[in-house]
Amino acid sequence: MDGQDRESGTAFLPKFDANGLLTAVVQHHRTGEILMLAHMNAEALAMTRETGRAHFYSRSRQSQWMKGESSGNVLEVREILVDCDQDALILKAEPAGPACHTGARSCFYRRLTDDGLEPVTGG
Amino acid sequence: MDGQDRESGTAFLPKFDANGLLTAVVQHHRTGEILMLAHMNAEALAMTRETGRAHFYSRSRQSQWMKGESSGNVLEVREILVDCDQDALILKAEPAGPACHTGARSCFYRRLTDDGLEPVTGG
């Protein structure tokens, strides 16, 4: 297939990168807050679709994992959106707890200023 | 520096990947809609901070570009959020027009179903 098919068609033709990965952005399905960003290989995507819970591929650990498998803070996926060139996904999800391993609600808990980083209120 | 400094500190220590890139998610600063996902090298990030308009690095064209440089649909960046391990950014932005090169308001104009892709209403 070519780029045109990927952009305008109704076929799901995920474009995995050289490492076999898609980028996935997790967004709270009700509030719209972006909770985290991670990567998925084909298996993590298949497991996510099959179980309804977000699975990712860890580039550092080189293995698949289910979000919340140790913390219990799973992400129940309500909807998956696909971008124009099909190399990125949005997972609209209901989080069972903090999405970030630091305990923050979202991994994006700091804003960039001219002087460095500062906490985002309510993050 | 180590991971702990990256996570809890106030220093901006961006963790570029093997290709010298960060992942950037563009989110509408008022509606919260995710508009697009792209990559930034150090120069694109510096230009974005300097000009207030989103610049990215195209992996396919291997060059830096300013969003809207040909279409006019620039993204005025109002706030930049940084994630825990500092390899991903959210650009909260005001779009001057459709964010997607297809003319869609957002690149994420389709949802994944068991039968393939279907348009997102209002996308």
Side-chain angles (χ1 to χ4, degrees), chain B residues 43-108:
Chain B
E43 191 186 349
L45 175 60
M47 287 296 291
T48 299
R49 297 181 75 182
E50 191 179 316
T51 66
R53 293 186 163 185
H55 290 64
F56 302 106
Y57 181 84
S58 168
R59 295 180 298 177
S60 55
R61 295 194 304 270
Q62 300 195 313
S63 64
Q64 190 191 304
W65 59 292
M66 184 184 81
K67 171 66 187 167
E69 65 188 7
S70 56
S71 66
N73 296 325
V74 297
L75 295 165
E76 303 281 358
V77 177
R78 302 299 170 84
E79 187 175 43
I80 299 178
L81 302 185
V82 182
D83 80 342
C84 47
D85 59 358
Q86 303 205 31
D87 64 357
L89 306 175
I90 296 173
L91 308 183
K92 295 207 173 194
E94 174 73 34
C100 188
H101 73 286
T102 62
R105 191 176 65 210
S106 161
C107 293
F108 296 88

Side-chain angles (χ1 to χ4, degrees), chain A residues 32-43:
Chain A
E33 185 179 27
I34 297 175
L35 301 175
M36 59 180 287
L37 184 142
H39 297 84
M40 290 177 135
N41 61 358
E43 191 186 349

Side-chain angles (χ1 to χ4, degrees), chain A residues 28 31 33-36 95 97-100 102-109 120-123:
Chain A
H28 194 295
T31 69
E33 185 179 27
I34 297 175
L35 301 175
M36 59 180 287
C100 187
T102 62
R105 192 176 65 213
S106 161
C107 293
F108 297 89
Y109 49 81
V120 177
T121 308

Side-chain angles (χ1 to χ4, degrees), chain A residues 51-106:
Chain A
T51 66
R53 293 184 163 186
H55 289 64
F56 301 107
Y57 181 83
S58 167
R59 295 180 298 178
S60 55
R61 295 194 304 271
Q62 299 196 313
S63 65
Q64 191 191 302
W65 58 292
M66 184 184 82
K67 171 67 186 166
E69 64 188 7
S70 55
S71 66
N73 296 326
V74 298
L75 295 165
E76 302 281 357
V77 178
R78 302 298 170 83
E79 187 174 42
I80 299 177
L81 302 184
V82 183
D83 80 339
C84 47
D85 59 358
Q86 302 204 31
D87 63 359
L89 305 175
I90 296 172
L91 309 184
K92 296 208 173 194
E94 173 73 32
C100 187
H101 73 285
T102 62
R105 192 176 65 213
S106 161

